[in-house]
Amino acid sequence: MSIRTFGILGAGQMGAGIAHVAAAAGFDVLLADVALARAEKAKADIDKRLAKAVEKGKMTEEARRALVDHIKPVEGVPALAPADFIVEAVNEDETLKKQLFRQFDEICRPEVILATNTSSIPITRIAAVTKRPTQVIGMHFMNPVPVMKLVEIIRGLATSDATYQTTVELCAKMEKATIVSRDISGFIVNRILMPMINEAAYALYEGIGTAADIDVGMKLGTNQPMGPLELADFIGLDTCLAIMEVLHTGLGDSKYRPCPLLRQHVDAGWLGRKTGRGFHDYTAKG
Ligand code: CAA
């Protein structure tokens, strides 16, 4: 089947980023969220970022217009019925994802592949709620999607070779490198990244250093573009906590227990950049 239309559910930072790179690769994109206004805002934000690229001389005005014209904001799951390929990019919530995959299974043509951008939840469990587990796959993009080169691909127990091949080819069209992970909670990237972030939260919790010193230490001491606490704020502390919970319960090892300080920040609604405060305060930084 030739794939022309990407259906993306979830117009948050990940869904919007995936819409951006899919449109840049020439696919038509249906970008859905529960409320149309959220999908429209995501498209407007993509357009603003492209306008900056045009200003910097990194993109032509025609290319900008062509890219945004490929993105159609829509409302709700049923609006994705015409899609040739689905990517789900909602919160890291297994119950919600399963409910959505049941709906996709009902509304999408039988040949359509259903991909999830889950960053940690086993694909096999999500696939099992559909009647097409051979066509369910993990397609884990990194944030910010237009900048990061990687997509981590996760095959569920039943995922077919054809589904895997098609997904790898789509990633290549979007100029992304791919790696393959076994379908174990957390996969490769978050199995390694999240314990580092969690350990940085413990270092802060135990008063080993200030948030600024922990971040500068890791930035300048290990050449990472962002310190771990700054990166956690960028990803979202709610997402980091959800991934740590998946590692902790899925792998059953106490070394993955979420840091109480991380949990407390989430309880306080200090979710990182998106709420203006996380381990760092962004209210003064604009
Ligand atoms: N969307 C599109 N482009 C973006 C962007 C976004 N959200 N944020 C930044 N960019 C672009 C900028 O436009 C700029 O492009 P040009 O060079 O063409 O002008 C470029 O990225 C660099 O941006 P800045 O100069 O503003 O900032 P920077 O040099 O500090 O880089 C960064 C910002 C790319 C985010 C960098 O700090 C970085 O790489 N951080 C680490 C990000 C990371 O580790 N991501 C993975 C998170 S883990 C994950 O996603 C998995 C999971 O499941 C949790």
Side-chain angles (χ1 to χ4, degrees), residues 14 20 49 56 58 119 140-148 189-190 193-194 225-226 231 234-235 239 243:
M14 296 308 290
H20 180 150
R49 195 169 280 284
K56 288 188 202 164
K58 294 190 170 180
S119 42
H140 180 209
F141 289 82
M142 306 293 139
N143 186 20
V145 178
V147 179
M148 306 301 282
V189 172
N190 281 325
L193 176 66
M194 283 302 153
M226 287 175 165
L231 180 58
F234 179 68
I235 293 167
T239 302
I243 296 170

Side-chain angles (χ1 to χ4, degrees), residues 169-190:
E169 282 161 24
L170 290 177
C171 289
K173 281 192 186 151
M174 292 186 279
E175 298 180 357
K176 299 295 182 198
T178 53
I179 56 170
V180 189
S181 168
R182 278 183 63 203
D183 189 25
I184 305 287
S185 305
F187 319 131
I188 295 174
V189 172
N190 281 325

Side-chain angles (χ1 to χ4, degrees), residues 121-128 132-138 153-161 163-164 180-184 187:
I121 300 167
I123 306 309
T124 304
R125 291 216 287 261
I126 297 172
R132 62 179 94 187
T134 56
Q135 288 156 247
V136 176
I137 193 160
I153 296 189
I154 308 99
R155 296 181 65 153
L157 200 58
T159 308
S160 69
D161 290 346
T163 297
Y164 169 69
V180 189
S181 168
R182 278 183 63 203
D183 189 25
I184 305 287
F187 319 131

Side-chain angles (χ1 to χ4, degrees), residues 275-277 281-286:
T275 58
R277 183 157 192 180
D281 185 351
Y282 300 88
T283 46
K285 295 181 193 168

Side-chain angles (χ1 to χ4, degrees), residues 47-65:
D47 197 20
K48 260 189 234 158
R49 195 169 280 284
L50 295 179
K52 284 201 187 125
V54 172
E55 262 172 42
K56 288 188 202 164
K58 294 190 170 180
M59 185 179 219
T60 64
E61 183 56 34
E62 293 69 39
R64 169 196 170 191
R65 227 172 297 131

